[in-house]
Amino acid sequence: MDERIEVEFIVLEEVDPSEGTMPPEDWDDHAHEDDEDVETSAAAGKSRFEAARAKPRSIHGFSVGPAKRIGVKTYRVPGTKVSLPVRAIIAPLLIGFAKEFHQKVERLRKGWCWGHANRNIRGSKRPSFHAAGIAIDLNAPKHPLGRANTFSVAQRKTINALCKKYGLRWGGNYRRRKDDMHFEVILPRAKAVALAKRIQKGGAR
């Protein structure tokens, strides 16, 4: 069976970083990720002291840190007034997903959508996927952490199809506490970058 997934070219309109909306201060009160699924460079086999000194940390091969250092840029989601700061090298994945989410799931609301934030998970020394610029939260107040089934059955089906298309994982599928607002790149760096390049060429995978 041919499982190639057609993807259309994504227009990336870079805007001033000030157009991106910062999440509230208590936004990282929760851990977005299922602990067992996070693959970071927090050096297996090293002592706790060595691991603490190992910088920059990374998630799936993407280093975490300030926006400029890790190559985060802010892009307008096509057809919306929403702008998201994401890692430029894989921006087609997150911006393309957000565009189709807006078109096929529900309209994105300005001020309710967030991207990069250089923070650890609250109460943890582990970085959030957002700190690597490889995650976004969409219409966050409408889909709060811990509240399951904030989307209809039809919407959930569409979200899962889009996540497969763009190489993302949805917080609504977490085994533990659900996080319907949250979407993160889970492909290893090389595969994520390759898919982003194919999208920019209007190709398929």
Side-chain angles (χ1 to χ4, degrees):
M1 176 184 294
D2 185 359
E3 296 185 349
R4 289 165 61 84
I5 301 174
E6 295 298 327
V7 288
E8 64 181 72
F9 178 81
I10 302 299
V11 176
L12 293 176
E13 178 191 356
E14 186 178 352
V15 298
D16 190 271
S18 64
E19 293 197 30
T21 303
M22 287 295 294
E25 286 300 317
D26 63 352
W27 166 72
D28 241 351
D29 271 346
H30 54 277
H32 282 307
E33 306 84 15
D34 279 351
D35 290 346
E36 295 175 4
D37 294 333
V38 179
E39 297 177 5
T40 72
S41 65
K46 291 186 177 181
S47 70
R48 183 174 301 177
F49 176 75
E50 290 173 320
R53 294 184 60 189
K55 291 186 178 181
R57 293 170 295 172
S58 65
I59 301 174
H60 298 315
F62 294 98
S63 59
V64 305
K68 288 185 178 180
R69 193 183 79 193
I70 66 172
V72 167
K73 295 182 179 180
T74 303
Y75 300 96
R76 178 101 62 227
V77 178
T80 78
K81 295 181 180 180
V82 170
S83 298
L84 295 170
V86 298
R87 200 178 196 103
I89 199 170
I90 50 86
L93 306 184
L94 294 171
I95 301 301
F97 175 88
K99 173 189 174 183
E100 292 205 55
F101 181 98
H102 175 77
Q103 293 172 336
K104 301 175 180 179
V105 180
E106 66 180 22
R107 297 181 65 82
L108 296 179
R109 179 167 172 175
K110 185 177 181 180
W112 282 14
C113 304
W114 312 316
H116 172 265
N118 186 26
R119 304 179 184 178
N120 286 343
I121 297 167
R122 181 75 56 104
S124 169
K125 294 183 178 180
R126 293 175 48 246
S128 165
F129 274 68
H130 291 273
I134 59 173
I136 53 177
D137 290 340
L138 301 181
N139 290 345
K142 189 175 180 180
H143 307 287
L145 174 78
R147 186 180 301 172
N149 301 316
T150 63
F151 294 97
S152 70
V153 173
Q155 287 175 318
R156 293 178 66 86
K157 182 177 180 180
T158 300
I159 288 171
N160 283 316
L162 291 177
C163 283
K164 180 178 180 181
K165 178 176 181 178
Y166 288 101
L168 308 184
R169 177 172 59 178
W170 176 33
N173 288 329
Y174 285 170
R175 294 189 302 272
R176 301 188 184 97
R177 189 164 48 168
K178 305 299 183 183
D179 198 359
D180 277 8
M181 73 176 87
H182 179 79
F183 305 91
E184 61 199 19
V185 175
I186 58 168
L187 296 174
R189 182 186 175 96
K191 290 185 177 180
V193 171
L195 177 56
K197 288 180 178 178
R198 282 197 291 274
I199 291 174
Q200 285 308 89
K201 293 179 180 179
R205 71 180 182 96

